[in-house]
Amino acid sequence: MRDTVFPALDRFRIEIPSWGFANTGTRFGKFIQAAAATSIEEKFRDAGQVHALTGVCPTVALHVLWDFPDGVRSVTKVAALAAKYGIQPGSINPNLFQDQVYKFGSFGNPDQAIRNEALAHSRDSIAIARSLNCRDISFWVADGSNYPGTANMRQRKKYFEECLRACHAELSASQRMLIEYKPFEPAFYHTDIADWGMALLFSRAAGPQAKVLVDTGHHYQAQNIEQIVAWLLAEDMLGGFHFNDRRYADDDLTMGSIDPYQVFRIFHEILFFEFEEGKRADVAYMIDQSHNLKGKIEAMIQTAGMAQELFAKAALVDHAGLAAAQKATDLVRAESFLQDAFATDVRPAIREWRVSKGLPASPMEAFRQSGYLERISVERAARNMASVSSYA
Ligand code: PSV
Ligand code: MN
């Protein structure tokens, strides 16, 4: 097992999101944590801790509006923080949803001046990415409408194509733009990029460096995500993932906490593709979770461990045996290749791998013993608690 699991772990890396370290909540409110990060420096410091202990999260995704308060001028500071805390900036996420001007959309807004504003922010985001050597710019465009008849969906599609093409023209040769889809929320009648088919068509319209980003939480119940993954791989259009789990909608629950077999099946499709095609899939693995109740750093360490586990299990599938069983339509045998791999306990091998790399066998235990959480809770409590509103 070691012979398969070690190389799989050697290559597996997963990006963590800066927003996963900050206080977040639901639309009904926030439960504030004393230890939550309140500045970009604290986010880098916490993300650096996760990477130092797990060894598999070398990059942190950044959200432009939240992490670059001075736009492109924040770049020098971010580069310095990366060096100080041993974690590099990863994907850059423009924010096309929070500003008041986006009430009726950004790239799909009927007002050209607002579309131009969205484009200017996107260009700044691409420039930020370029100066930090970040390869991927992840576009989640929240545009949509709430009432039937109020938005011209075909016209908006044209606006989107124009804007996405204009963004693509800004990319340097080594950069990619990733286009994320989501069926609903914040819009509840129609969303301009609602599913993978729309994201695929928009990516093709944008240009060759545009690929689809699959956020596992952005699907309707029972949708077969691994089939979407298999199709995107076959079309050379899969750019990356935002991993999280869900029970009802875009719940941002911990990856693998509800349906670990689904994540396993996604990883399996990727590794099976690689076996059959004889080449690596160029896919960015990212976590997109904001932890409302769990401790943020612990939740991220737990997620990284779960991701490693499911990837290692997927690597155990006997691809040649599976291909033969599929060809022979030996259904029970074919299915059991997946079931046997999924049932294998890879945790001892993962612990051994960590030790072989000079990492703690249990990053969670090491974190709990480090005293880091206690230190930052004291340091940050006053600032965090000042944001608690009182109804007394
Ligand atoms: C939207 O739900 C999303 O998945 C997008 O990726 C955003 O960038 C992220 O969550 C942060 O809120
Ligand atoms: Mn996402």
Side-chain angles (χ1 to χ4, degrees), residues 160-179:
F160 260 75
E161 285 163 1
E162 278 166 25
C163 290
L164 291 168
R165 233 177 260 132
C167 292
H168 194 282
E170 300 285 314
L171 300 174
S172 65
S174 60
Q175 285 185 310
R176 305 190 304 174
M177 56 193 278
L178 305 181
I179 301 182

mmCIF file of all heavy atoms in Angstrom, residues 160-179:
data_model
loop_
_atom_site.group_PDB
_atom_site.id
_atom_site.type_symbol
_atom_site.label_atom_id
_atom_site.label_comp_id
_atom_site.label_asym_id
_atom_site.label_seq_id
_atom_site.Cartn_x
_atom_site.Cartn_y
_atom_site.Cartn_z
ATOM 1 N N PHE A 160 -21.912 39.008 -20.881
ATOM 2 C CA PHE A 160 -20.939 38.139 -20.186
ATOM 3 C C PHE A 160 -19.807 37.728 -21.130
ATOM 4 O O PHE A 160 -18.636 37.765 -20.771
ATOM 5 C CB PHE A 160 -21.637 36.877 -19.643
ATOM 6 C CG PHE A 160 -21.958 36.960 -18.190
ATOM 7 C CD1 PHE A 160 -23.015 37.730 -17.737
ATOM 8 C CD2 PHE A 160 -21.197 36.278 -17.252
ATOM 9 C CE1 PHE A 160 -23.311 37.822 -16.383
ATOM 10 C CE2 PHE A 160 -21.476 36.360 -15.899
ATOM 11 C CZ PHE A 160 -22.535 37.125 -15.464
ATOM 12 N N GLU A 161 -20.192 37.314 -22.333
ATOM 13 C CA GLU A 161 -19.164 36.868 -23.284
ATOM 14 C C GLU A 161 -18.178 37.991 -23.572
ATOM 15 O O GLU A 161 -16.964 37.778 -23.580
ATOM 16 C CB GLU A 161 -19.830 36.361 -24.572
ATOM 17 C CG GLU A 161 -20.449 34.989 -24.364
ATOM 18 C CD GLU A 161 -21.460 34.607 -25.443
ATOM 19 O OE1 GLU A 161 -21.678 35.413 -26.384
ATOM 20 O OE2 GLU A 161 -22.045 33.514 -25.331
ATOM 21 N N GLU A 162 -18.719 39.204 -23.786
ATOM 22 C CA GLU A 162 -17.834 40.361 -24.057
ATOM 23 C C GLU A 162 -16.877 40.591 -22.890
ATOM 24 O O GLU A 162 -15.675 40.763 -23.069
ATOM 25 C CB GLU A 162 -18.680 41.641 -24.214
ATOM 26 C CG GLU A 162 -19.288 41.829 -25.581
ATOM 27 C CD GLU A 162 -20.371 42.921 -25.546
ATOM 28 O OE1 GLU A 162 -20.335 43.817 -24.669
ATOM 29 O OE2 GLU A 162 -21.263 42.840 -26.405
ATOM 30 N N CYS A 163 -17.438 40.590 -21.685
ATOM 31 C CA CYS A 163 -16.609 40.896 -20.503
ATOM 32 C C CYS A 163 -15.566 39.800 -20.266
ATOM 33 O O CYS A 163 -14.409 40.089 -19.969
ATOM 34 C CB CYS A 163 -17.480 41.049 -19.259
ATOM 35 S SG CYS A 163 -18.485 42.527 -19.288
ATOM 36 N N LEU A 164 -15.987 38.558 -20.399
ATOM 37 C CA LEU A 164 -15.046 37.461 -20.132
ATOM 38 C C LEU A 164 -13.926 37.448 -21.176
ATOM 39 O O LEU A 164 -12.769 37.185 -20.861
ATOM 40 C CB LEU A 164 -15.785 36.117 -20.091
ATOM 41 C CG LEU A 164 -16.719 35.961 -18.880
ATOM 42 C CD1 LEU A 164 -17.627 34.742 -19.049
ATOM 43 C CD2 LEU A 164 -15.926 35.831 -17.573
ATOM 44 N N ARG A 165 -14.289 37.775 -22.405
ATOM 45 C CA ARG A 165 -13.263 37.868 -23.453
ATOM 46 C C ARG A 165 -12.280 38.987 -23.129
ATOM 47 O O ARG A 165 -11.064 38.837 -23.273
ATOM 48 C CB ARG A 165 -13.936 38.138 -24.807
ATOM 49 C CG ARG A 165 -13.519 37.148 -25.863
ATOM 50 C CD ARG A 165 -14.247 37.371 -27.170
ATOM 51 N NE ARG A 165 -15.351 36.453 -27.331
ATOM 52 C CZ ARG A 165 -16.590 36.779 -27.700
ATOM 53 N NH1 ARG A 165 -16.918 38.032 -27.930
ATOM 54 N NH2 ARG A 165 -17.509 35.858 -27.827
ATOM 55 N N ALA A 166 -12.824 40.100 -22.666
ATOM 56 C CA ALA A 166 -11.950 41.241 -22.315
ATOM 57 C C ALA A 166 -11.018 40.857 -21.159
ATOM 58 O O ALA A 166 -9.850 41.256 -21.141
ATOM 59 C CB ALA A 166 -12.802 42.451 -21.945
ATOM 60 N N CYS A 167 -11.511 40.088 -20.215
ATOM 61 C CA CYS A 167 -10.651 39.637 -19.096
ATOM 62 C C CYS A 167 -9.566 38.707 -19.639
ATOM 63 O O CYS A 167 -8.397 38.812 -19.265
ATOM 64 C CB CYS A 167 -11.463 38.878 -18.049
ATOM 65 S SG CYS A 167 -12.613 39.914 -17.158
ATOM 66 N N HIS A 168 -9.964 37.803 -20.497
ATOM 67 C CA HIS A 168 -9.005 36.838 -21.044
ATOM 68 C C HIS A 168 -7.857 37.552 -21.758
ATOM 69 O O HIS A 168 -6.691 37.141 -21.675
ATOM 70 C CB HIS A 168 -9.724 35.876 -21.993
ATOM 71 C CG HIS A 168 -8.913 34.665 -22.353
ATOM 72 N ND1 HIS A 168 -7.894 34.702 -23.280
ATOM 73 C CD2 HIS A 168 -8.948 33.388 -21.890
ATOM 74 C CE1 HIS A 168 -7.349 33.499 -23.374
ATOM 75 N NE2 HIS A 168 -7.966 32.681 -22.538
ATOM 76 N N ALA A 169 -8.188 38.666 -22.428
ATOM 77 C CA ALA A 169 -7.168 39.417 -23.181
ATOM 78 C C ALA A 169 -6.096 39.984 -22.249
ATOM 79 O O ALA A 169 -5.004 40.328 -22.689
ATOM 80 C CB ALA A 169 -7.838 40.540 -23.971
ATOM 81 N N GLU A 170 -6.405 40.096 -20.965
ATOM 82 C CA GLU A 170 -5.456 40.657 -19.987
ATOM 83 C C GLU A 170 -4.484 39.610 -19.440
ATOM 84 O O GLU A 170 -3.510 39.954 -18.776
ATOM 85 C CB GLU A 170 -6.213 41.237 -18.781
ATOM 86 C CG GLU A 170 -7.175 42.342 -19.114
ATOM 87 C CD GLU A 170 -6.461 43.648 -19.412
ATOM 88 O OE1 GLU A 170 -5.550 44.009 -18.651
ATOM 89 O OE2 GLU A 170 -6.817 44.280 -20.421
ATOM 90 N N LEU A 171 -4.781 38.336 -19.654
ATOM 91 C CA LEU A 171 -3.970 37.279 -19.035
ATOM 92 C C LEU A 171 -2.589 37.205 -19.663
ATOM 93 O O LEU A 171 -2.448 37.374 -20.875
ATOM 94 C CB LEU A 171 -4.654 35.903 -19.209
ATOM 95 C CG LEU A 171 -6.050 35.712 -18.626
ATOM 96 C CD1 LEU A 171 -6.590 34.334 -19.037
ATOM 97 C CD2 LEU A 171 -6.029 35.841 -17.107
ATOM 98 N N SER A 172 -1.591 36.918 -18.841
ATOM 99 C CA SER A 172 -0.283 36.624 -19.427
ATOM 100 C C SER A 172 -0.301 35.155 -19.867
ATOM 101 O O SER A 172 -1.217 34.400 -19.506
ATOM 102 C CB SER A 172 0.823 36.880 -18.409
ATOM 103 O OG SER A 172 0.676 35.978 -17.343
ATOM 104 N N ALA A 173 0.731 34.753 -20.603
ATOM 105 C CA ALA A 173 0.724 33.419 -21.218
ATOM 106 C C ALA A 173 0.584 32.300 -20.192
ATOM 107 O O ALA A 173 -0.003 31.252 -20.463
ATOM 108 C CB ALA A 173 1.987 33.229 -22.036
ATOM 109 N N SER A 174 1.100 32.536 -18.970
ATOM 110 C CA SER A 174 1.077 31.442 -17.991
ATOM 111 C C SER A 174 -0.158 31.488 -17.083
ATOM 112 O O SER A 174 -0.337 30.615 -16.238
ATOM 113 C CB SER A 174 2.340 31.509 -17.126
ATOM 114 O OG SER A 174 2.355 32.752 -16.465
ATOM 115 N N GLN A 175 -0.986 32.508 -17.241
ATOM 116 C CA GLN A 175 -2.145 32.612 -16.342
ATOM 117 C C GLN A 175 -3.376 31.898 -16.901
ATOM 118 O O GLN A 175 -3.479 31.676 -18.104
ATOM 119 C CB GLN A 175 -2.485 34.082 -16.112
ATOM 120 C CG GLN A 175 -1.522 34.781 -15.179
ATOM 121 C CD GLN A 175 -1.957 36.199 -14.869
ATOM 122 O OE1 GLN A 175 -2.254 36.969 -15.770
ATOM 123 N NE2 GLN A 175 -1.994 36.530 -13.594
ATOM 124 N N ARG A 176 -4.287 31.571 -15.965
ATOM 125 C CA ARG A 176 -5.562 30.979 -16.381
ATOM 126 C C ARG A 176 -6.694 31.749 -15.721
ATOM 127 O O ARG A 176 -6.518 32.305 -14.626
ATOM 128 C CB ARG A 176 -5.678 29.523 -15.910
ATOM 129 C CG ARG A 176 -4.545 28.624 -16.333
ATOM 130 C CD ARG A 176 -4.844 27.166 -16.034
ATOM 131 N NE ARG A 176 -5.151 26.922 -14.625
ATOM 132 C CZ ARG A 176 -5.558 25.752 -14.137
ATOM 133 N NH1 ARG A 176 -5.722 24.717 -14.936
ATOM 134 N NH2 ARG A 176 -5.798 25.605 -12.844
ATOM 135 N N MET A 177 -7.842 31.778 -16.346
ATOM 136 C CA MET A 177 -9.022 32.244 -15.616
ATOM 137 C C MET A 177 -9.941 31.050 -15.407
ATOM 138 O O MET A 177 -10.130 30.219 -16.313
ATOM 139 C CB MET A 177 -9.724 33.413 -16.313
ATOM 140 C CG MET A 177 -10.162 33.196 -17.728
ATOM 141 S SD MET A 177 -10.611 34.769 -18.517
ATOM 142 C CE MET A 177 -12.287 34.947 -17.903
ATOM 143 N N LEU A 178 -10.436 30.923 -14.186
ATOM 144 C CA LEU A 178 -11.322 29.811 -13.862
ATOM 145 C C LEU A 178 -12.726 30.371 -13.688
ATOM 146 O O LEU A 178 -12.923 31.367 -12.993
ATOM 147 C CB LEU A 178 -10.856 29.119 -12.573
ATOM 148 C CG LEU A 178 -9.395 28.633 -12.574
ATOM 149 C CD1 LEU A 178 -9.056 27.933 -11.260
ATOM 150 C CD2 LEU A 178 -9.114 27.690 -13.745
ATOM 151 N N ILE A 179 -13.691 29.735 -14.325
ATOM 152 C CA ILE A 179 -15.068 30.240 -14.275
ATOM 153 C C ILE A 179 -15.922 29.286 -13.443
ATOM 154 O O ILE A 179 -16.096 28.114 -13.783
ATOM 155 C CB ILE A 179 -15.625 30.438 -15.702
ATOM 156 C CG1 ILE A 179 -14.719 31.452 -16.453
ATOM 157 C CG2 ILE A 179 -17.068 30.905 -15.656
ATOM 158 C CD1 ILE A 179 -15.166 31.793 -17.854
#
